[in-house]
Amino acid sequence: MIRKELVAASAEPLILSLLAKGESYGYAIIQEVKARSDGKLQWTDGMLYPVLHRMEHRGLIKSRWGESETRRKRKYYSLKKDGKTAMAKHHEQWSLVHSVLAGLRKEKYV
Amino acid sequence: MFDLEKSIGEWCKQMLAAGIQTPVPLEELEIHLREEIERQMKSGLNEQRAFEISIQRIGQPKMLDREFKKSERSFMKQILKIGAGIIGVLVGMAFIMPAAAQCRHEGAMAKDEVVLYTFGMAMCFAGALLVLQSFKRRKA
């Protein structure tokens, strides 16, 4: 299981990246993150919503109420222009951290 | 006998008591809870067990409320800063305009008006800076 500090720090880039594929809703976002990380990246489900609301207040994403195929009410979130810019910044920063770590790891085993 | 609807109703009451706002975000959380219960039941659990696991996954009401409040507080802070900035610009303009009109009319500014003009310019600049910074921070 991944440490909670890292889970919290990765929430925004993950949400932005998932929404870049198309609009989605809270439950689906959680399920997709779980599936893509083989269950290793797990949020306390309810904690996703304050993060989504905060991102909406900051103008990174927007929301609309809609209905599922089974006519269940759902709140759908989608990416805004500022969200795309924020996502690009996140990718750049996380790639940098990843490349530094990978470089150090390689040096250790050379 | 376990009553799912009654239990969900009780859970909503606990969320409200903890301070979670209604209709949003409580409605959003309830929708999530119902989807999770449905998924747990499809995997073979009975209603009661599915409900118990699902409310655990959603998290403690107090903890959720704290997080929502954090997000609301930071939003309100930004709004207040933007409001204060706009007021600053308007007050600044109220000082600049009469002094500028006087200057246009008489060709020069009296010492007092120069002070008012400078003060107005400073207010406008500070107000505009506050608004710009608030927008910048909002997106950061």
Side-chain angles (χ1 to χ4, degrees):
Chain A
M1 205 65 72
I2 294 173
R3 285 173 54 197
K4 68 174 184 180
E5 290 86 354
L6 190 55
V7 172
S10 62
E12 189 173 302
L14 286 173
I15 293 167
L16 289 171
S17 304
L18 284 175
L19 293 181
K21 299 196 304 140
E23 72 170 6
S24 190
Y25 55 98
Y27 190 78
I29 292 173
I30 287 176
Q31 294 308 317
E32 192 158 354
V33 169
K34 256 183 223 170
R36 282 175 180 266
S37 66
D38 291 326
K40 286 176 188 137
L41 242 171
Q42 280 201 25
W43 297 321
T44 305
D45 289 10
M47 298 298 263
L48 171 72
Y49 295 95
V51 178
L52 285 169
H53 290 199
R54 204 150 42 227
M55 289 167 70
E56 192 175 8
H57 289 157
R58 285 167 53 207
L60 304 179
I61 58 174
K62 60 183 177 187
S63 67
R64 69 167 182 94
W65 282 101
E67 265 184 5
S68 70
E69 54 287 353
T70 53
R71 306 197 61 76
R72 174 175 277 158
K73 208 175 162 190
R74 267 180 192 158
K75 197 174 177 195
Y76 289 95
Y77 293 89
S78 57
L79 210 57
K80 284 176 78 175
K81 199 177 156 215
D82 285 340
K84 282 183 191 161
T85 314
M87 184 183 70
K89 269 189 195 163
H90 275 299
H91 282 181
E92 200 182 300
Q93 289 168 0
W94 283 81
S95 298
L96 177 74
V97 173
H98 174 75
S99 71
V100 170
L101 272 176
L104 287 168
R105 192 176 172 202
K106 211 171 157 189
E107 279 172 29
K108 193 180 162 190
Y109 294 112
V110 165
Chain B
M1 182 74 183
F2 179 75
D3 183 334
L4 182 61
E5 285 308 314
K6 200 176 156 199
S7 301
I8 292 175
E10 288 297 322
W11 176 83
C12 285
K13 277 185 200 162
Q14 282 175 24
M15 286 283 168
L16 279 171
I20 301 280
Q21 303 277 313
T22 181
V24 184
L26 180 61
E27 197 178 357
E28 213 177 355
L29 289 170
E30 189 189 333
I31 293 166
H32 183 104
L33 178 72
R34 287 181 185 276
E35 293 215 31
E36 183 62 22
I37 291 170
E38 207 175 276
R39 194 179 70 92
Q40 296 288 345
M41 285 173 68
K42 272 185 195 157
S43 74
L45 295 182
N46 64 29
E47 275 190 344
Q48 186 169 1
R49 193 73 197 114
F51 172 76
E52 286 164 359
I53 288 181
S54 302
I55 59 167
Q56 251 177 30
R57 290 200 166 185
I58 279 213
Q60 292 297 313
K62 281 278 173 208
M63 181 182 78
L64 290 177
D65 182 54
R66 254 199 318 274
E67 286 304 310
F68 277 115
K69 289 271 167 18
K70 250 194 246 172
S71 125
E72 282 160 25
R73 262 199 305 272
S74 75
F75 181 57
M76 285 312 291
K77 239 161 113 180
Q78 298 295 334
I79 297 291
L80 282 174
K81 274 188 186 171
I82 291 169
I86 291 171
I87 290 171
V89 171
L90 292 175
V91 170
M93 293 296 279
F95 280 102
I96 292 171
M97 299 300 262
Q102 184 80 4
C103 178
R104 208 173 303 132
H105 189 248
E106 292 179 9
M109 256 189 233
K111 202 178 170 186
D112 287 354
E113 274 147 8
V114 172
V115 173
L116 290 177
Y117 186 82
T118 312
F119 178 70
M121 286 295 278
M123 284 288 281
C124 275
F125 183 71
L129 205 68
L130 198 61
V131 173
L132 283 174
Q133 269 188 342
S134 302
F135 275 112
K136 218 171 155 188
R137 207 162 290 164
R138 237 184 106 205
K139 288 166 189 171

